[in-house]
Amino acid sequence: MFAMLREERRLSVLLTGNLLSQIGDGVHEFVFIITVLHVTHANVAVSGAIYFFRFIPYLVLGPLGGALSDRLSRRSLMIGADLARMAITSVFCLLLSTGQVGVATLALIGMSMTAFRTLFQPAFQGTIPSLVRAENLPSANGAAQMAAEMGGLI
């Protein structure tokens, strides 16, 4: 796999960027969970409601993300989605620092992050075959999954 990554430089750049993005997502997720528990006073029902709203964009935007990925520049979609998630995380940090985070705010932040992740993922997956030779595609998909898991682990 490492030989393939040396050979397929464009994929290596994409995976490095995605790894960094995944690390950021992991930090955001950790802070988000702690904040949900703090704001809801560990109320399981309210915490569950926040997470319920957080996953609605998958249902609504899933098909749209795939369609946009097929019709627009995948690179632009990925960059735009990651920049939007960076902006959302920045606003989240600002709200945390000023103590202005409530249940509704958490639900909106969670929904927004999921919405842009739902737009990012089909573009990312659709880009991989265009970056590597056909014989390297199985290894490239494996490397992409490994980078995603490493980012979540870190």
Side-chain angles (χ1 to χ4, degrees), residues 34-44 46-47 103:
I34 298 300
T35 305
V36 167
L37 292 173
H38 176 74
V39 167
T40 65
H41 305 290
N43 182 312
V44 175
V46 178
S47 298
V103 171

Side-chain angles (χ1 to χ4, degrees), residues 107-144:
L108 286 172
I109 288 170
M111 288 176 69
S112 299
M113 288 293 284
T114 301
F116 287 107
R117 184 178 297 118
T118 304
L119 296 176
F120 175 92
Q121 200 58 37
F124 176 77
Q125 291 297 326
T127 298
I128 294 171
S130 68
L131 296 179
V132 300
R133 294 192 322 268
E135 64 267 15
N136 286 336
L137 188 55
S139 294
N141 285 329

Side-chain angles (χ1 to χ4, degrees), residues 137-153:
L137 188 55
S139 294
N141 285 329
Q145 188 62 40
M146 191 169 82
E149 296 302 325
M150 283 175 50
L153 180 64

Side-chain angles (χ1 to χ4, degrees), residues 13-79:
V13 170
L14 177 67
L15 293 183
T16 300
N18 191 49
L19 176 63
L20 294 173
S21 179
Q22 292 287 336
I23 292 169
D25 284 351
V27 172
H28 173 91
E29 185 63 26
F30 178 75
V31 173
F32 189 83
I33 290 168
I34 298 300
T35 305
V36 167
L37 292 173
H38 176 74
V39 167
T40 65
H41 305 290
N43 182 312
V44 175
V46 178
S47 298
I50 290 170
Y51 275 86
F52 169 78
F53 282 105
R54 188 173 175 194
F55 288 99
I56 290 173
Y58 283 128
L59 300 172
V60 177
L61 296 176
L64 178 64
L68 289 174
S69 175
D70 289 340
R71 289 171 178 77
L72 302 175
S73 162
R74 291 180 179 135
R75 181 176 188 227
S76 296
L77 277 173
M78 289 187 291
I79 291 170

